[in-house]
Amino acid sequence: MTVLPIGGTAEVLPRDDRPDPDAVLDPLADALAGAVLAAGDPARGRGMTHAVVLPPEVAARLAPSGDPATALRERADAALRARTGGDHTSAAEVLPIVAGGPGIKMLHLPGWMGGSRAVTAPV
């Protein structure tokens, strides 16, 4: 079981109907970077966990790009650096969760600002 410290929710939509992973990864990366910027101090992102809930058809679009967590974190870090000019990171980790039914709406679950990370333990 994994317990997530969630600071809210935000719907995210793919950029367009193209099947390529960029149409999914770029808007999610912007959401991750935006949550860190909204905290007021981009350094707060280093200690937090973000989660993203992906419907199965969106997860299938990401399958060719490899590990979505790594791709999201790299893109979110690049977006954050572009906005701040600093060497900030968007998150300690990104947890992708595949859930739901048909559709393209994704859900961004930003972590608590200032350093809260997910904890996983067997049950």
Side-chain angles (χ1 to χ4, degrees), residues 10-85:
E11 282 186 6
V12 181
L13 293 170
R15 186 173 43 207
D16 51 39
D17 290 335
R18 294 183 326 212
D20 65 295
D22 291 342
V24 173
L25 291 171
D26 288 344
L28 282 172
D30 286 342
L32 272 64
V36 173
L37 288 171
D41 179 4
R44 292 180 180 164
R46 286 187 177 94
M48 65 190 281
T49 298
H50 289 274
V52 292
V53 180
L54 308 169
E57 67 186 77
V58 172
R61 288 171 70 176
L62 292 179
S65 67
D67 177 25
T70 300
L72 274 173
R73 178 148 186 230
E74 289 171 357
R75 287 174 189 238
D77 289 351
L80 189 59
R81 284 192 292 273
R83 291 181 185 173
T84 64

